[in-house]
Amino acid sequence: MWYSGVRVRWLAGAVGVVGLIGGACRGAGSRESGVGSRGAGSGSGSGIVVVDGDGDTVRLTHAAQRVVSLVPSATDIIVALGGKVQIVGRTRYDRDTSLASIASVGGGVDPDLERMVALKPDLVITWAPSKSSVLREQLHAQHIATYATPTRDTAAFFAVESALGALIGRDSAARALATAIRDTMAAVHAAVAGRPTPSTLYLIWGDPPMTVGPHTFVGELIGVAGGRDLFDDATTDWPRVSMEAIVERAPDVVVVAVGEDAQRGAERMRDAPGWRSLGAVRAGRVVPVPADLMERPGPGLGRAARILAQAIHPEVK
Amino acid sequence: MKHGRSVGMIALAGLFVVACLVSIRAGSVSLGLGAVWDALLGRGDLSTVTIVRDLRLPRTAAAVLVGAALATSGATFQALLRNPLAEPYVLGISGGAALGAVAAIVLGVLLPVPGAVALAAFIGAVVTIALVLRIALGVGPTLDTRVLLLSGVVVGAFANAGIFLMLSVADVNSYRSATAWMMGSLSGSTWSGDAALAVQLIPALAVLLFLSRPLNAMAIGEETAAYLGVSVERTKWLAYGAASLLAAASVATAGVIGFVGLIIPHAVRLIWGSDYRVVIPASALLGATFLLLADVAARTIAAPTDLPLGAVTAVVGVPVFVALLRRKG
């Protein structure tokens, strides 16, 4: 339901990027471009009411003061909104050293429930979809509110950002951050507007090759940065693709996500049959980008767009 | 009978050739015969040349070698252990190979050099084979095939436990690579990998063909075989060694691909009877043909996504096998 609405918007809009930037130009008050309009909003009298990624209504009587975040991008958003003091629990995937003093509850999908309950949270941020998750039931049985975080595209990011702002009582900071990110994306897009759009292969991981579909936030950011997703016809969001299909489609640019462990995948990629024959590889148009920044729909979205634009259009300063 | 058998074998050989051609032509990009020919000669579109020469040919060769190796290995184990459920993987070989491969991927113990994962898988398989033999020999003076089977199952279970423990601490990317490896794929095929496989496959296949008469006698029973003048212990050792080597080499190349080693020998026996002088070469040929076609399906059905070959072999093979069983029954 939530996703299909987004997809319809994408299919209906002639060029998604134009819609996105259009939303940005209308400024912070404009909510049409994000699904957040359905939920994000707080009434001082009746408490806080938002709709999460599962389409469920989340109600809080007061702004959450003890939040356990199981979603690293949501953790980053809360920190960016100045709500670090309200976070009491994080996952082992939150690698930012400034969060080291906050208790870890383990993994994001398989957290330690006992440790979570012991932290006495008033809100737990979970991954969407969570409808069938046992964790959600267990938390609700303990009368702990949950917010399921959609992470698919940029519209989902803006919806989450706005909803989290409401839930932790930092609406105005949320509006300011959304405006700043929309402005950055609009500026990035303006700088590359009118230029040719090189076909861009974004490699999340090389073994086996895994890339991004057009309706993911990374796929959208490629468009913002003036490129064209090499697999913009993919029917899944994070497709595994064959080397044969990559060679046949002959990308102009290859963007490789590298991180602590992705580095190894990128190195192994170099030995994959067919890799060296790629025009982009021989022309030296293989650009490493930081995986942690690029693959989290968090407050770094604007910076991610800028990095992609530099990779795709190095001629634009 | 003899005449019908040779007609059948010629038909199978013809099917094999057709499968090879289909494998080179089909993929996420479908090519005409003319385009394939040009690409083989290095003419025409550069990306087509790369696809045919660097990707499809080594992959087709790998499908032939792995399919032949798995099916022959399965046929041998079924004769040796006198158990219709025996296959390369039941003796723990796949588990050991997978443990080696997952260790290399997750722990990153090996430098990212080409073939490091395949090498680790091969070492894992060989260590497992040695361990299974050691356990089986610890029980009695001769190689008891029932004990061999049991120790294979136990060592395989131990390896699986090790894999789960490692995956539970793996980071997300290693997890992806490890699970993709365990589902089997020929997408990483290279000429050097194919050559390494062929060097092991050809002598092992020759040994097994040489052993087909003793294996016929062994399939009836070890005592009968001994009365018929078969040196039972030597046959067991040689056959076990050759079949294990085939399994280890193919798992190292292609990851875990089930079903081929189990079903292909049964299909051969259903069609041509259980004379191992026929079962061994026919299994090799039918296994190669089957894996070629399964890999074509894996490459084309969801293109540009490569489907896991280990899943495709079962999805394609089970209905065919059930139909074959019903026809015979």
Side-chain angles (χ1 to χ4, degrees):
Chain A
M1 171 78 194
W2 189 88
Y3 283 136
S4 65
V6 177
R7 189 172 294 150
V8 167
R9 198 171 58 80
W10 268 96
L11 292 174
V15 183
V17 173
V18 172
L20 195 75
I21 304 303
C25 296
R26 283 197 296 276
S30 153
R31 292 258 178 77
E32 298 94 281
S33 63
V35 274
S37 56
R38 279 180 52 203
S42 55
S44 50
S46 58
I48 300 162
V49 181
V50 302
V51 176
D52 73 2
D54 287 337
D56 280 354
T57 305
V58 182
R59 290 173 205 280
L60 293 180
T61 49
H62 305 285
Q65 296 306 318
R66 299 184 64 79
V67 180
V68 171
S69 172
L70 301 177
V71 183
S73 59
T75 314
D76 292 348
I77 291 171
I78 295 172
V79 171
L81 297 182
K84 196 171 126 188
V85 289
Q86 285 152 282
I87 304 175
V88 295
R90 60 170 177 102
T91 68
R92 61 168 171 263
Y93 301 105
D94 293 292
R95 297 206 186 92
D96 191 342
T97 47
S98 73
L99 299 169
S101 58
I102 297 169
S104 167
V105 294
V109 186
D110 53 345
D112 184 336
L113 183 67
E114 286 184 16
R115 206 178 285 183
M116 260 195 322
V117 172
L119 290 169
K120 298 185 173 51
D122 43 19
L123 176 69
V124 176
I125 317 279
T126 67
W127 291 89
S130 74
K131 281 280 193 192
S132 57
S133 112
V134 177
L135 177 69
R136 179 172 171 271
E137 296 309 313
Q138 286 169 321
L139 289 170
H140 287 183
Q142 301 291 323
H143 307 289
I144 298 169
T146 60
Y147 172 86
T149 312
T151 51
R152 192 189 200 204
D153 52 15
T154 50
F157 163 76
F158 286 112
V160 169
E161 199 262 353
S162 163
L164 289 180
L167 289 169
I168 63 169
R170 293 175 188 272
D171 283 297
S172 57
R175 276 193 295 274
L177 180 63
T179 307
I181 292 173
R182 285 200 165 100
D183 287 349
T184 306
M185 291 206 294
V188 167
H189 192 63
V192 295
R195 291 179 178 273
T197 52
S199 61
T200 305
L201 171 66
Y202 186 97
L203 272 181
I204 295 177
W205 182 238
D207 176 36
M210 193 180 184
T211 184
V212 298
H215 304 298
T216 61
F217 64 93
V218 183
E220 291 177 359
L221 288 184
I222 291 172
V224 171
R228 184 180 65 77
D229 184 357
L230 188 67
F231 288 91
D232 59 1
D233 58 342
T235 49
T236 53
D237 283 343
W238 313 100
R240 263 181 66 183
V241 293
S242 66
M243 199 62 212
E244 197 173 298
I246 295 173
V247 171
E248 196 258 335
R249 291 173 183 225
D252 296 318
V253 186
V254 180
V255 177
V256 185
V258 295
E260 277 178 53
D261 37 76
Q263 186 76 47
R264 271 193 293 135
E267 277 163 14
R268 221 178 288 155
M269 195 73 211
R270 273 186 240 143
D271 305 313
W275 174 254
R276 285 171 205 276
S277 76
L278 285 176
V281 173
R282 284 185 301 179
R285 298 213 58 192
V286 178
V287 188
V289 295
D292 272 352
L293 173 69
M294 302 302 298
E295 288 162 20
R296 283 187 187 178
L301 228 46
R303 260 197 304 153
R306 217 179 268 290
I307 287 172
L308 275 177
Q310 279 158 10
I312 297 168
H313 290 285
E315 76 281 4
V316 178
K317 286 293 159 199
Chain B
M1 182 61 205
K2 273 254 148 92
H3 180 67
R5 188 183 279 175
S6 53
V7 168
M9 289 298 274
I10 290 167
L12 178 53
L15 190 62
F16 169 72
V17 173
V18 170
C20 285
L21 285 177
V22 170
S23 173
I24 297 170
R25 285 187 56 186
S28 58
V29 203
S30 188
L31 300 171
L33 278 179
V36 168
W37 185 246
D38 280 346
L40 285 176
L41 297 176
R43 293 193 304 233
D45 185 32
L46 184 67
S47 73
T48 311
V49 173
T50 302
I51 287 172
V52 171
R53 279 187 172 181
D54 298 348
L55 300 173
R56 281 200 196 154
L57 275 183
R59 186 165 180 163
T60 299
V64 170
L65 294 166
V66 170
L70 286 176
T72 317
S73 169
T76 309
F77 283 129
Q78 284 161 20
L80 201 60
L81 305 175
R82 286 189 299 286
N83 186 325
L85 287 178
E87 60 152 339
Y89 298 158
V90 88
L91 287 160
I93 298 168
S94 78
L99 184 62
V102 172
I105 293 168
V106 173
L107 306 176
V109 285
L110 294 161
L111 293 168
V113 293
V117 174
L119 186 65
F122 188 74
I123 292 170
V126 171
V127 168
T128 308
I129 293 164
L131 195 62
V132 169
L133 273 175
R134 181 77 190 77
I135 294 172
L137 283 173
V139 176
T142 58
L143 201 57
D144 185 333
T145 52
R146 288 169 306 175
V147 181
L148 195 62
L149 198 59
L150 268 178
S151 59
V153 170
V154 173
V155 172
F158 187 80
N160 272 336
I163 291 168
F164 288 138
L165 286 176
M166 270 194 286
L167 286 183
S168 63
V169 296
D171 61 78
V172 63
N173 286 325
S174 299
Y175 189 89
R176 274 179 202 145
S177 293
T179 48
W181 189 90
M182 284 193 287
M183 289 191 285
S185 173
L186 291 169
S187 64
S189 306
T190 57
W191 284 123
S192 54
D194 288 350
L197 188 53
V199 163
Q200 300 167 71
L201 175 72
I202 290 161
L205 207 56
V207 166
L208 290 177
L209 276 173
F210 174 74
L211 288 177
S212 54
R213 237 177 244 278
L215 281 176
N216 274 340
M218 297 267 295
I220 303 166
E222 288 184 16
E223 276 185 38
T224 318
Y227 287 137
L228 291 171
V230 172
S231 69
V232 172
E233 284 307 300
R234 195 193 63 165
T235 304
K236 275 195 287 194
W237 276 98
L238 274 177
Y240 179 80
S244 301
L245 186 65
L246 287 179
S250 46
V251 186
T253 306
V256 181
I257 297 171
F259 194 74
V260 178
L262 177 66
I263 295 305
I264 295 297
H266 283 300
V268 166
R269 274 190 290 261
L270 281 171
I271 300 169
W272 286 292
S274 49
D275 181 347
Y276 276 88
R277 286 171 302 173
V278 176
V279 170
I280 300 277
S283 292
L285 207 51
L286 188 62
T289 309
F290 176 72
L291 202 62
L292 278 169
L293 296 177
D295 188 49
V296 168
R299 275 186 284 152
T300 49
I301 288 173
T305 300
D306 258 6
L307 294 177
L309 185 56
V312 173
T313 53
V315 170
V316 176
V318 168
V320 173
F321 186 71
V322 169
L324 204 59
L325 269 182
R326 287 172 64 96
R327 198 170 63 92
K328 285 285 163 174

